[in-house]
Amino acid sequence: PTSMSFSAVADPLRDSAAIHVNQEGYLPSFPKKGIVGYYLGSLGEMPIAATTFYIVEANTGNVVFQGALKLRQDVGYTYTPTPYQVVYEADFGAFNTPGNYRLKIPGMGASLPFRIDEGIGMGLARTYALGMFHQRSGYEVAMPFTRFTHGADHLAPAIVPASLTPESA
């Protein structure tokens, strides 16, 4: 009916696919950067009007750090149009307080939540070690070390030549 009206509110903390952070998180004393940019297909790169970024508490939206966005154009392409020319960097390496945060860009929304925590490095090391463990052959990969189990495989003896010569290859 003509009496029906539609309205929408652009939540300042709405998820934005154009704001990229390390979702694993950041170590407090190491570099911390987020990237802002988005490719719109035949429309090219999305224009970014904002010049400032904010680090906000993930739960409350309270601003805990702010900085200036810096243009970060990619180089090395030999064709046109040159891609990644409307990409901005949010450097928040000076912010070291552990907690859960989001990178907020005025008018665009916010990133997915991320952590700043000393334990982030351990999470990365554990994930890497588990990835190597899951690919083991000749060994039964089982609980309690992983829920991704498989039996021992590739059990036949391997033959490794001592040297390769053109005649033995």
Side-chain angles (χ1 to χ4, degrees), residues 5-62:
S5 68
F6 295 92
S7 65
V9 176
D11 182 353
L13 293 178
R14 66 192 177 280
D15 291 343
S16 173
I19 304 172
H20 312 279
V21 295
N22 182 344
Q23 292 174 7
E24 182 70 24
Y26 301 89
L27 289 163
S29 59
F30 279 68
K32 292 173 278 307
K33 296 180 181 180
I35 301 296
V36 181
Y38 201 77
Y39 180 67
L40 300 170
S42 62
L43 294 174
E45 295 182 71
M46 181 173 74
I48 309 293
T51 59
T52 304
F53 72 89
Y54 300 93
I55 300 299
V56 299
E57 292 177 338
N59 295 333
T60 65
N62 293 336

Side-chain angles (χ1 to χ4, degrees), residues 68-152:
L69 288 172
K70 177 182 163 193
L71 187 61
R72 183 181 181 261
Q73 295 175 318
D74 212 343
V75 297
Y77 293 93
T78 58
Y79 57 88
T80 58
T82 306
Y84 308 113
Q85 298 302 293
V86 187
V87 176
Y88 287 82
E89 180 179 273
D91 185 343
F92 52 102
F95 182 70
N96 298 321
T97 306
N100 292 316
Y101 302 101
R102 297 178 78 184
L103 172 59
K104 177 182 160 187
I105 308 296
M108 293 181 67
S111 70
L112 293 173
F114 62 88
R115 285 194 58 70
I116 296 177
D117 190 294
E118 286 293 343
I120 296 301
M122 186 59 210
L124 175 65
R126 183 177 189 281
T127 301
Y128 182 77
L130 278 174
M132 298 299 288
F133 179 70
H134 290 150
Q135 296 179 44
R136 288 195 70 173
S137 293
Y139 180 82
E140 181 181 0
V141 176
M143 294 291 278
F145 306 109
T146 181
R147 64 177 186 246
F148 302 103
T149 62
H150 66 79

